[in-house]
Amino acid sequence: MANKNLTSAKKAKNDEFYTQFGDIQKEIEAYLEYNPDVFRNKVVYCNCDDPYESNFFRYFVLNFNKLGLKQLITTSYKPSPVANTQLGLFGDDKSLAKSKGRPKVTANKFIINEAHDMDGDGEFDLKDVAKQLKANKQNKWTPLEGDGDFRSDECIDILKQSDIVITNPPFSLFRPYVKQLFDYNKQFVIIGSMNAITCKEIFPLIRANRLWLGATGNGSDMVFAVPNGSEIADRDRQKAA
Ligand SMILES: C[S@@+](CC[C@H](N)C(=O)[O-])C[C@H]1O[C@@H](n2cnc3c(N)ncnc32)[C@H](O)[C@@H]1O
């Protein structure tokens, strides 16, 4: 994966750029400072997130107990070019078996109900998550029936069961994405381009105090990861570096 900034990610006319762990951590921790129990007993749904590449999944599963989550659900999108290819999440660890039994290309649903030390090393980490998912008991992995489109019936069913939606959605679908969150009356934390503020669908929500800008500095450029082979302008590459 290489880095590039948000502007060029938009220009690339695709929706494939991935949020860094530290950016998610900074934003979420700003809410915790305000209210440490803001996520307690909540079902968090990341609906544009391949658990194998998403730092949203990684952040929320690793902080599951600290945040007091009731459940974490993530679903991925089958047409994503990194679907089932980025195995870094569990694959970096040589002691783990390769993702056995994982179908070649599917959209996936991961449900995390509990997070605890499984291998007795005294810590809870991603190895434990992998073990729990493999056991497929309290925590479950299943392929979705459809392609994982956030507007599909099966994803909407999950949306209805969730309390807070948290992700970086595809920019090309930002407006219908936000509309759906309001249609289902969901709380959410999502990443969007600053340009979205001026959209006729978005600005009235801000004006009506129904949508707020996040804690992450509005003037700050975020750096994202992109799939290998993506075109990156030199200027953006330097900025990201
Ligand atoms: C900007 S990327 C962010 C990925 C991840 N959420 C992150 O922050 O690292 C948007 C993701 O949404 C996926 N996507 C595109 N269209 C989608 C759709 N209709 N429904 C669900 N996911 C979609 C893309 O494949 C991509 O992985």
Side-chain angles (χ1 to χ4, degrees), residues 15-19 47-49 53-56 76-77 79-82 148-151 167-171 173 191:
D15 293 314
E16 301 304 328
F17 47 100
Y18 305 97
T19 315
N47 58 356
C48 298
D49 292 270
E53 52 80 6
S54 167
N55 281 318
F56 283 93
S76 64
Y77 185 53
S80 161
V82 298
D149 191 311
F150 65 85
R151 299 159 292 190
T167 192
N168 176 2
F171 276 7
L173 296 171
I191 294 178

Side-chain angles (χ1 to χ4, degrees), residues 3 10 18 20 29 36 38 41 45 52 79 100 110 138 146 162 178 183 188 194 208 225 237 239:
N3 286 325
K10 278 184 63 208
Y18 305 97
Q20 299 194 93
E29 287 183 0
V38 69
N41 292 322
Y45 181 25
Y52 287 82
K100 223 173 156 187
F110 279 24
Q138 281 80 6
S162 65
V178 172
D183 287 348
F188 60 87
M194 283 302 280
R237 194 187 293 277
K239 224 196 253 181

